[in-house]
Amino acid sequence: MKAPILSSWFGKSAVTAPPDIESAALRSDRFRLEREGDWQRLEDIVKRMEKGGLRRISDDELLALPTLYRTAASSLSVARETSLDAATLRYLEALVQRAWFQVYGPRKGFFAWFKEFILGGWSRAVREIWLDVCIALFVMVAGTLVGWLLVSQNSEWYYRLVPGGFADTRVPGASREVLMDTLGTEDSADRLSIFAASLFSNNAGVAILAFALGFAFGIPSLLLLVHNMALLGAMMWLFVGADLGVEFTAWLSVHGTTELFAILLAGAAGLHIGRSMAFPGDKSVLEAASASGRRGAVVMAGVVFMMVIAGLLEAFPRQLVGSVEGRFTIGGAFLVFWLTYFFLYRPARAEDGI
Amino acid sequence: MSAATSLRGLTNRPKQERYLVTPEGIEIPIMLASKGSRLGAIILDFLFFFVVIYAVVYFLIFVGGGVFDAVGDSMEGATGAFEFLYILFILFLFFMRYGYFMAMELGPRSATWGKRIVGIRVAARDGGRLTPEAVIARNLLRDIELFMPLVFLIFAPSGEQGNYGIAGAIWFAIFMFFPFFNKDNLRAGDIIAGTWVVEAPRTKLAETLSTSGAAASAGSSTLTGAKYEFGEAELSVYGEHELQVLERLLREDKDDALGPVHETICRKIGWDPGAGDERAFLEAFYAQLRAKLEGDMRFGKRKANKHA
């Protein structure tokens, strides 16, 4: 079975001229010899489409493709009724299958897909999982509260919730000046782009993890949300304790409205999958999982996009814009934008005509 | 479609075969990719993955070195260019991790390089189009199936991470053995995306058998000039299954395998098996048996094998 694949790598074997039709002793072989020219033309077109998409074939061939495909398909059904030539049947089955993938394949190019995605597909997918978004939002708020409450009970919790890398100078008992300093700005944009790129890569990774873990009935996704938000709650407690609540919120809001929104959506998409697998309703579990998985994938493609924006916001405006008002304006504008895009912007569904 | 064309009911169809019904109403068999070929594909993909990453890293180090040479001792000029290279590197790693499989599976062959080499592809399980959403979904899951536990496994031997290594191994095992516990060999990503992995057949059109040798000349051998003609009773001994075995034998073109078959057929139909002209005999027998069986098919009579 593997031999023909290898041989196809090492040059083409010489194509011999087909025998003339009259010499065939069998009616089914005559049938085949009359049509095999069309089959081979179809195979040739399909082979080139598989190699390089539509660029490699001419307009004539593109027009001929559906006809040739139907010819081969009808040859197959006739041959099944009249021919006992197993090799020809196998060839036709393989050919029709390959051609089918090309004729009915995902020929919506990436850019066409992306346009549909931006102009409605994404916001529609987000609205479709509204219930999961609500649950995830609730969990995130609860997580923040839990973090706050734990730390206010016992400040030792702070060191458990906030990883060392972040904690540096931002620890319980630090003076207001030290904390204020961490909310400050940079003088120039040097190195901030590296910061942006690594933030993006890291945050997108976390979001994808939250989505993928939804597979286990959504529970790990929710735990991940709680854990991340508890960290935020702990830090809020620290800054509010130093009477820096407003400054901290402003500092956070620049990128936070985008980043936290993205994390919310990622968690909700994961939860959506988990929930539909636990409660598939009148569909089978597999059907429910794949329908919700595709919907979640659309949301996730958008989440990665949001993470790019959040990374840029975090690295540049947050580090360069110092005023509390300026920071609130940027963060608020993005929040309004996302809310409008997801919940008010409702274009008609562009039918993709399957 | 008459019942005869439905492949589902037929015996002797492979267990890993599934069916796709085209909009024209024709049933096409598709073979699920074996677990072995999928494993082979992922190993090959990982090889490519790491080769590309190492190549890029060395390239960046090479260019990075060049940046330092160009600016000499002053680091001022170097930082900007270096920063740029570093960002490229971070973004490159990200897009390799998430983009490599996705971009390749969105292409016209719906397969990564590894899958192409072993001859398999991704397809939508419902028989429809393979949508970009499905490809995104199945590859986002790859992160928790492969990359994450692999990171755990890399740290496990050092003991630094304690039980995380063992947890990672268990995690890894759960996802690796996932395809063994469902009949369609689905991995977790396939379930979420509604996809499966199937063989991408590359069958060549074989020669017509009835235009060559003794079959073409109404049963007369080019070697001895003898003419083989079989009667109704002699041809009704065998059915379609035996015909296919005979076809495979003739196509394989191994002359030493023909002798025993020649002998068996002769004994079965009561002829005296000679020697030296087996191929012509079998070609003639094949062509005439096929003509008879195909003639019967047109009248709706089918004989599956010699017992039928």
Side-chain angles (χ1 to χ4, degrees):
Chain A
M1 185 149 262
K2 299 293 166 208
I5 295 170
L6 275 182
S7 72
S8 72
W9 280 15
F10 304 109
K12 283 176 187 148
S13 53
V15 178
T16 46
D20 58 304
I21 294 161
E22 281 70 35
S23 72
L26 290 163
R27 213 158 126 175
S28 55
D29 276 349
R30 287 199 290 275
F31 169 84
R32 175 194 137 167
L33 291 169
E34 279 161 20
R35 283 161 188 78
E36 72 176 30
D38 281 347
W39 303 346
Q40 259 150 1
R41 187 163 171 230
L42 176 65
E43 187 186 354
D44 178 53
I45 296 177
V46 167
K47 199 183 277 168
R48 273 178 292 140
M49 282 179 82
E50 284 174 343
K51 277 199 186 114
L54 293 175
R55 273 162 296 146
R56 286 171 187 243
I57 64 168
S58 68
D59 290 351
D60 287 346
E61 286 170 325
L62 193 61
L63 284 174
L65 179 67
T67 322
L68 289 172
Y69 163 72
R70 265 178 223 118
T71 309
S74 87
S75 297
L76 173 61
S77 71
V78 173
R80 277 188 180 150
E81 301 286 354
T82 58
S83 175
L84 288 172
D85 184 359
T88 302
L89 283 172
R90 238 190 343 267
Y91 169 79
L92 272 177
E93 281 172 350
L95 176 64
V96 173
Q97 184 197 320
R98 278 170 80 184
W100 183 84
F101 277 129
Q102 296 305 320
V103 175
Y104 294 97
R107 287 296 73 84
K108 190 159 50 166
F110 175 76
F111 288 102
W113 176 81
F114 188 70
K115 198 174 144 208
E116 210 280 319
F117 166 77
I118 289 290
L119 299 179
W122 178 20
S123 70
R124 194 180 308 120
V126 169
R127 283 195 303 280
E128 278 169 356
I129 64 167
W130 66 271
L131 181 59
D132 307 277
V133 174
C134 292
I135 299 173
L137 182 63
F138 173 77
V139 169
M140 284 174 84
V141 173
T144 316
L145 281 178
V146 166
W148 179 297
L149 291 175
L150 281 177
V151 184
S152 61
Q153 297 280 317
N154 181 354
S155 60
E156 281 303 301
W157 275 101
Y158 188 85
Y159 299 97
R160 292 193 166 219
L161 290 175
V162 183
F166 286 118
D168 40 49
T169 55
R170 294 174 283 181
V171 291
S175 70
R176 190 173 187 277
E177 286 67 40
V178 172
L179 290 176
M180 188 69 203
D181 207 38
T182 63
L183 302 181
T185 54
E186 301 273 335
D187 297 329
S188 76
D190 269 0
R191 312 202 141 266
L192 289 183
S193 39
I194 292 188
F195 190 44
S198 43
L199 283 174
F200 157 69
S201 166
N202 179 52
N203 293 342
V206 171
I208 289 171
L209 183 64
F211 167 74
L213 287 175
F215 185 69
F217 301 111
I219 295 162
S221 303
L222 294 183
L223 291 179
L224 204 66
L225 290 185
V226 170
H227 177 251
N228 273 303
M229 297 311 286
L231 186 160
L232 184 71
M235 286 182 78
M236 278 183 94
W237 169 80
L238 180 69
F239 281 91
V240 171
D243 203 19
L244 284 169
V246 178
E247 287 84 351
F248 179 73
T249 314
W251 176 81
L252 186 71
S253 76
V254 177
H255 75 289
T257 48
T258 303
E259 185 180 305
L260 293 177
F261 210 140
I263 290 178
L264 169 73
L265 292 181
L271 179 65
H272 182 64
I273 293 176
R275 214 166 50 84
S276 72
M277 286 175 77
F279 308 104
D282 50 5
K283 287 190 215 156
S284 77
V285 175
L286 279 184
E287 278 168 7
S290 60
S292 60
R294 290 170 190 210
R295 210 173 287 136
V298 177
V299 175
M300 285 310 295
V303 165
V304 172
F305 182 65
M306 285 173 89
M307 285 301 183
V308 175
I309 295 176
L312 291 175
L313 284 173
E314 186 163 4
F316 295 98
R318 190 180 82 182
Q319 306 291 342
L320 300 173
V321 178
S323 71
V324 169
E325 298 78 25
R327 285 174 167 175
F328 268 128
T329 313
I330 298 173
F334 271 93
L335 183 63
V336 170
F337 171 73
W338 294 123
L339 287 173
T340 314
Y341 177 74
F342 288 131
F343 299 106
L344 296 179
Y345 172 65
R346 294 170 177 236
R349 182 185 284 268
E351 246 341 300
D352 39 351
I354 290 175
Chain B
M1 279 295 112
S2 67
T5 46
S6 178
L7 305 171
R8 279 165 226 251
L10 297 183
T11 48
N12 292 331
R13 303 300 300 193
K15 204 180 130 219
Q16 298 299 332
E17 198 172 70
R18 300 289 180 275
Y19 305 97
L20 183 94
V21 181
T22 70
E24 294 80 22
I26 296 164
E27 215 172 41
I28 305 171
I30 45 176
M31 283 291 272
L32 291 179
S34 71
K35 295 180 194 80
S37 54
R38 294 182 70 174
L39 182 68
I42 193 79
I43 290 173
L44 284 171
D45 278 330
F46 257 75
L47 270 175
F48 293 134
F49 193 79
F50 284 113
V51 165
V52 171
I53 285 182
Y54 278 106
V56 169
V57 169
Y58 278 108
F59 177 74
L60 285 181
I61 288 174
F62 175 73
V63 175
V67 169
F68 282 114
D69 287 345
V71 290
D73 292 334
S74 74
M75 289 295 288
E76 302 297 311
T79 43
F82 211 70
E83 197 177 305
F84 177 69
L85 289 180
Y86 190 67
I87 291 165
L88 271 190
F89 178 65
I90 294 174
L91 294 182
F92 166 74
L93 278 189
F94 182 83
F95 284 108
M96 272 303 277
R97 178 168 175 179
Y98 296 108
Y100 168 77
F101 288 92
M102 258 181 232
M104 299 278 264
E105 289 180 1
L106 276 175
R109 259 197 257 176
S110 305
T112 56
W113 282 323
K115 287 195 180 75
R116 285 178 200 189
I117 289 172
V118 300
I120 59 180
R121 63 174 294 150
V122 182
R125 213 157 59 221
D126 58 9
R129 291 159 193 261
L130 180 65
T131 56
E133 292 92 272
V135 174
I136 293 173
R138 80 189 296 278
N139 285 308
L140 287 183
L141 259 284
R142 201 184 291 278
D143 208 45
I144 61 164
E145 288 176 74
L146 265 181
F147 290 108
M148 285 225 355
L150 276 187
V151 172
F152 279 126
L153 286 183
I154 289 167
F155 284 116
S158 70
E160 246 175 71
Q161 305 278 322
N163 292 337
Y164 283 154
I166 300 163
I170 295 172
W171 182 324
F172 190 63
I174 289 176
F175 285 110
M176 280 300 106
F177 287 105
F178 211 93
F180 289 89
F181 294 106
N182 61 75
K183 65 177 169 45
D184 292 336
N185 298 352
L186 305 177
R187 66 171 178 84
D190 287 322
I191 290 186
I192 294 302
T195 54
W196 56 14
V197 181
V198 297
E199 283 193 358
R202 273 174 255 179
T203 319
K204 279 217 167 76
L205 186 55
E207 301 277 310
T208 43
L209 278 178
S210 76
T211 54
S212 58
S217 47
S220 48
S221 167
T222 46
L223 202 64
T224 62
K227 198 168 166 69
Y228 297 105
E229 269 190 278
F230 304 93
E232 178 74 24
E234 286 154 341
L235 291 175
S236 56
V237 176
Y238 289 120
E240 288 172 22
H241 174 69
E242 291 75 23
L243 183 76
Q244 280 168 14
V245 175
L246 191 53
E247 177 187 340
R248 204 157 54 229
L249 198 76
L250 288 171
R251 288 192 193 284
E252 270 169 10
D253 214 17
K254 275 183 260 169
D255 279 334
D256 49 335
L258 299 179
V261 180
H262 172 237
E263 211 182 301
T264 315
I265 294 176
C266 283
R267 217 179 309 114
K268 184 106 181 167
I269 63 178
W271 285 30
D272 182 24
D277 201 23
E278 288 90 351
R279 175 162 274 278
F281 170 86
L282 290 176
E283 279 169 354
F285 188 78
Y286 170 79
Q288 291 175 35
L289 177 61
R290 206 174 113 192
K292 177 191 181 300
L293 290 173
E294 286 178 353
D296 287 349
M297 268 168 93
R298 282 194 283 276
F299 294 104
K301 275 196 290 182
R302 295 193 78 152
K303 185 174 162 69
N305 54 46
K306 61 187 174 188
H307 307 296

